[in-house]
């Protein structure tokens, strides 16, 4: 049965929130692009500090935006219970 615990199989069907999924996908893609872009900046000497800052910002930003998607999904799960 969808949305309910199945006692016999032990499986739980979790319907995903589309907005949360889109936010998670965008955050992962943006983090990967940010990491690749910061690694390309390491080549020149005067942009090395900028590359480190860009790397940190892209990783932290990706984590926070992914967490926002998780929060939206958890709120949806709470609402559905």
């Amino acid at each position: 049965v969808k949305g309910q615990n199945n006692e016999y199989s032990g499986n739980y069907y979790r319907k995903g929130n589309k907005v949360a999924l889109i936010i998670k996908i965008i955050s992962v893609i943006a983090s990967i692009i940010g990491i690749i872009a910061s690694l390309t900046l390491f080549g020149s000497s005067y942009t090395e500090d900028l590359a480190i800052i860009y790397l940190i910002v892209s990783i932290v930003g990706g984590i926070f935006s992914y967490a926002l998607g998780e929060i939206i999904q958890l709120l949806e799960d709470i609402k559905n219970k």
Side-chain angles (χ1 to χ4, degrees):
V1 178
K2 291 184 179 180
Q4 296 178 356
N5 283 327
N6 190 345
E7 295 180 55
Y8 302 107
S9 65
N11 294 330
Y12 179 74
Y13 178 77
R14 179 177 168 185
K15 184 178 180 184
N17 189 341
K18 290 182 183 179
V19 175
L21 181 65
I22 290 171
I23 289 174
K24 290 178 190 179
I25 291 171
I26 290 173
S27 68
V28 169
I29 291 171
S31 295
I32 291 171
I33 290 172
I35 290 169
I36 291 171
S38 65
L39 291 177
T40 58
L41 289 176
F42 274 117
S44 60
S45 61
Y46 72 94
T47 60
E48 195 166 294
D49 295 334
L50 181 65
I52 293 171
I53 292 170
Y54 196 70
L55 178 68
I56 292 170
V57 167
S58 65
I59 291 173
V60 171
I63 290 171
F64 278 117
S65 59
Y66 191 86
L68 178 65
E70 278 292 319
I71 290 170
I72 292 171
Q73 181 63 48
L74 288 172
L75 289 173
E76 179 77 19
D77 291 344
I78 290 170
K79 185 186 91 169
N80 290 336
K81 282 189 178 181

